[in-house]
Amino acid sequence: MSTGTTAPSQHGAFDKIDAPSMDGLRACVHCGICLPQCPTYRVLGEEMDSPRGRVYLMRAAAEGRTELTPGIARHLDLCLGCRACETACPSGVPFGQLLEATRAQLERHHVRAPASGRRTLGFLLATFPHPERLGPLMGGLRAYQRSGLQRLVRASGFLAPFKRLRAMEALLPALPARARPLAEITLARGKRRGRVALLTGCVQRFVFPEVNTQTARLLAAAGWEVWAPRLQGCCGALHLHAGRLPEFRDMAGALMRVLDRDADLVVSNAAGCGAALEEYGHWLGDAAGFVAKVRDVSEVLAEADLRFDELPVTVAYHDACHLAHGQRVRVEPRALLRRIPGLTLREIPDGLCCGSAGVYNVTEPEMAAELGRRKAAAIRATGAAVVAAGNPGCVMQIARHCGSEGLGVEVVHPVELLGRALRDS
Ligand code: SF4
Ligand code: SF4
């Protein structure tokens, strides 16, 4: 198991379980190249809310120059884990793994920033990764929307004193009617390339079932048999980002046992989930074979000879952080969208995180709202009618803030556009 653990004398304020790697911390040469790419530094202008400042704090703790304090916890809570700093860093600082390891230490040592939204986080972690709980919750929320209660609650300002609850409610898109579960097997069309296991996700499954439907349809058209096991759990991404490593390892191990059976590839259409799957090698050990099979859906479709009909629309493509920085997938979604005749692709001038970051937009609503507003302004500058993003969290965050800024844009996953244009014959 690769844990990044160093010799006991080097742990400083950390215990030896999954201590952040000293080599990773020492790789930072303080050049500051990452600073302009960091959303929290761009908003706050504070060194300790920059990647360089956060690495400094983690290293000071590792070297025993500081205890783990609520102040340090606050600077790390405010980090989105977007990993834009990793892409920018010329020294290869593994910021995401350092952050997750440090959060696990803060968690284990009960070091918490004041007003850190832990109860909200606890509720989200106890609900979202569990389909048997998320399903009924979504049923209740569907009734809340359809009964008119949502309109009443929003008009009354009833939620105003509860900033995290209000943030959660504002993010809720119009929920679809209860969808039929995706077929466990979708047969390949044409020349068969092999079999993929599809991760259907937690939010994706209940909030955006059409994304899974189109993913399976496109993969089948590309020659892949799609296997979407009904009884698959959660990838554990939310627990990993929160530093809850034991629960994360349990979920990850269980999911691997399901998806790693009899499949040539493991495909995800949610950037956060796909990035977590790619981290299994680091956190679980003995997962290299599984990780080698993991692909984002765009990587698989980009290799296929799919034919598209005309779709005259202007689309702004948003790089989901865990796709662009976590999985280094930037070219394929753009290349696929450009293959649709009539579709004009625009770049969003500001490449910063949209503020979604898992459940960050609920636990840190002020910073997330500022980033959401900035993203909406950048999208407005493109003049696009549609925004495409390969992560359900980004889709909800961007739709929420484009809506409140009065932009009449549609926000979708790229596979929805590909599915609309796919030529079936
Ligand atoms: S992960 Fe994102 S928010 Fe956190 S330090 Fe890096 S760039 Fe900044
Ligand atoms: S770019 Fe890398 S080496 Fe330079 S300050 Fe940021 S984390 Fe450190």
Side-chain angles (χ1 to χ4, degrees), residues 25 27-35 47 50-53 55 85-86 88-93 95:
L25 292 168
C28 177
V29 295
H30 319 297
C31 65
I33 289 172
C34 53
L35 266 60
E47 175 71 13
S50 79
R52 183 173 62 187
V55 171
C85 47
E86 269 187 42
C89 179
S91 291
V93 173
F95 190 88

Side-chain angles (χ1 to χ4, degrees), residues 127 130-143 178 206:
T127 315
H130 302 279
E132 73 285 3
R133 296 176 200 161
L134 189 58
L137 177 69
M138 287 298 153
L141 289 172
R142 210 177 285 119
R178 202 183 160 84
F206 290 104

Side-chain angles (χ1 to χ4, degrees), residues 37-40 50-51 54 79-85 95:
Q37 309 308 324
C38 175
T40 55
S50 79
R54 290 176 176 129
C79 172
L80 293 126
C82 68
R83 296 169 62 183
C85 47
F95 190 88

Side-chain angles (χ1 to χ4, degrees), residues 96-135:
Q97 290 170 359
L98 296 173
L99 175 72
E100 283 148 4
T102 305
R103 282 183 171 164
Q105 297 272 339
L106 291 164
E107 180 68 26
R108 207 164 34 250
H109 294 277
H110 308 287
V111 180
R112 271 137 207 185
S116 60
R118 296 202 60 79
R119 264 186 305 178
T120 310
L121 179 64
F123 167 75
L124 294 168
L125 293 180
T127 315
F128 276 58
H130 302 279
E132 73 285 3
R133 296 176 200 161
L134 189 58

Side-chain angles (χ1 to χ4, degrees), residues 316 346-350 374-384 407:
R346 296 263 161 84
E347 290 295 325
I348 300 175
D350 189 335
R374 290 181 184 210
K375 183 59 66 180
I379 289 168
R380 188 190 293 278
T382 68
L407 260 80

